[in-house]
Amino acid sequence: MNQFVLNHGRSPELALFPHILELGMKKNGSIQPNSFPATVAEGLRIYHILEGRFEWYINHQPHVFYPGDVALIMPDIPLSSDNSVLTIGSFIWIQLAVQKLDTGHILPDKWSRLSDSEAAAISKILFVNNLPALSRFNEVCSIIKCIYTELFEMQVAYQTRVNHHIDELLIQVSRKITRQTHSTRDFPQAFTNLEMALRQDLAHQWTVEEMAGLVGMGTTLFTEKVKNFTGFSPINYLINIRISEAIRLLKRADISVTDIALDIGFYSSQHFSTTFKKLTGYRPSEFRKNHLRNI
């Protein structure tokens, strides 16, 4: 494969794919000063190293990449190298437009065939783990080459095939992140990280699939692990976390019960009140009143 760069808006091959901002392959035979300036892109960038050794700064932190490694650059994160120097080697990359939510999460757009829950799970894995360097990850190269082939050959149904490959790329990246993050299968540590992630976004309607994805497990194994570790099902454990957060917030008189209910993921104040009384013996208003009386 010869080096190339396709840009949306300039390359006819990308006319049907507004979500592919850039696709390219760079072969660099000599050290080139001022050829790798710092960049900050709106899209999600995925680089796969084919040859050479590259020391890049991602969000101002140094990372060294060897053949087979992948650099994963989230939107709005800077990428640079020392003195803007591009060293000898080659790499292939793709830059994708994604939806950016107020939470900081990213989602694929309407072109994707991922279900809403699958897209949300991948989004959270990318956001929570924030792992910019993925080692020995040759699947990325294979998928990007498939996208390249489809774009240039334009055989029947190539639009669907390209979008399918991009979905597959996002799936493989999220699975690789969870495997690399939890490679030792140290469940207590993984469980601690999971709880931190849940507490950071209790308003989100977490599914078991999403929670399992964050620790790199299938739902069946994850459910079994959580039950053995806590004695609760994943959903009941999540409810316990929500109630413990509610207890903390109810001690503050400046937040309404309704706001607390919605902030920690209950559909309504009534739903919150019923669940809270079931687990604590008090309605939220009663708990708050008793607490304030005892201050």
Side-chain angles (χ1 to χ4, degrees):
M1 181 187 295
N2 296 321
Q3 62 177 346
F4 68 95
V5 178
L6 302 179
N7 294 102
H8 181 68
R10 295 202 297 269
S11 304
E13 293 86 352
L14 297 183
L16 298 178
F17 306 95
H19 48 289
I20 303 179
L21 300 178
E22 195 169 83
L23 180 76
M25 193 266 212
K26 174 76 174 176
K27 289 184 177 180
N28 194 36
S30 60
I31 296 175
Q32 297 180 5
N34 303 317
S35 61
F36 200 80
T39 57
V40 178
E42 292 185 358
L44 173 68
R45 291 176 286 175
I46 302 172
Y47 294 81
H48 181 269
I49 308 303
L50 300 169
E51 297 174 311
R53 174 189 181 279
F54 295 95
E55 184 171 347
W56 290 346
Y57 290 82
I58 301 174
N59 205 18
H60 310 295
Q61 298 297 315
H63 297 273
V64 179
F65 297 93
Y66 295 97
D69 292 345
V70 164
L72 179 66
I73 321 295
M74 299 293 283
D76 301 325
I77 295 297
L79 170 67
S80 64
S81 66
D82 259 346
N83 299 315
S84 302
V85 170
L86 183 61
T87 52
I88 297 172
S90 60
F91 53 88
I92 191 168
W93 79 94
I94 188 169
Q95 182 183 164
L96 301 170
V98 289
Q99 296 183 66
K100 291 171 59 181
L101 307 181
D102 293 338
T103 57
H105 296 188
I106 60 173
L107 288 174
D109 216 328
K110 295 178 181 177
W111 56 266
S112 174
R113 290 297 174 265
L114 294 169
S115 70
D116 290 345
S117 62
E118 290 170 337
I122 288 173
S123 172
K124 287 191 174 296
I125 290 169
L126 294 175
F127 180 77
V128 171
N129 290 285
N130 191 24
L131 200 62
L134 302 172
S135 60
R136 298 185 297 280
F137 192 14
N138 288 314
E139 291 89 342
V140 165
C141 182
S142 299
I143 294 172
I144 294 178
K145 284 183 176 178
C146 286
I147 294 172
Y148 166 88
T149 300
E150 293 288 347
L151 288 174
F152 279 87
E153 294 185 354
M154 294 185 179
Q155 295 189 56
V156 62
Y158 79 100
Q159 186 176 5
T160 297
R161 291 293 301 272
V162 167
N163 290 337
H164 168 77
H165 286 309
I166 298 175
D167 275 341
E168 178 66 14
L169 181 63
L170 295 175
I171 291 169
Q172 290 296 335
V173 166
S174 62
R175 290 184 176 183
K176 176 67 176 179
I177 288 173
T178 53
R179 287 197 300 270
Q180 188 162 312
T181 304
H182 309 293
S183 59
T184 61
R185 290 291 193 252
D186 180 353
F187 191 70
Q189 183 57 50
F191 194 80
T192 300
N193 295 340
L194 170 66
E195 182 166 331
M196 290 175 59
L198 296 177
R199 287 186 181 278
Q200 287 173 0
D201 192 8
L202 282 176
H204 177 70
Q205 297 305 309
W206 291 92
T207 65
V208 175
E209 181 186 24
E210 287 175 323
M211 291 188 281
L214 285 176
V215 297
M217 294 180 183
T219 55
T220 301
L221 177 60
F222 173 71
T223 299
E224 179 184 333
K225 289 273 190 182
V226 172
K227 283 184 175 177
N228 291 337
F229 197 67
T230 68
F232 297 109
S233 69
I235 293 299
N236 282 337
Y237 185 73
L238 175 61
I239 290 173
N240 275 274
I241 292 175
R242 286 182 164 136
I243 295 301
S244 71
E245 180 65 9
I247 289 173
R248 186 182 72 81
L249 294 174
L250 285 168
K251 294 177 180 177
R252 293 175 49 183
D254 59 329
I255 308 177
S256 72
V257 171
T258 298
D259 285 345
I260 292 174
L262 298 178
D263 287 348
I264 62 175
F266 287 94
Y267 295 109
S268 65
S269 56
Q270 182 60 47
H271 179 210
F272 169 48
S273 180
T274 302
T275 305
F276 191 87
K277 182 174 176 57
K278 181 179 178 181
L279 294 180
T280 67
Y282 297 95
R283 295 195 178 281
S285 56
E286 294 172 337
F287 178 89
R288 168 172 280 174
K289 185 176 180 181
N290 290 338
H291 170 74
L292 295 176
R293 184 189 299 135
N294 295 326
I295 291 178

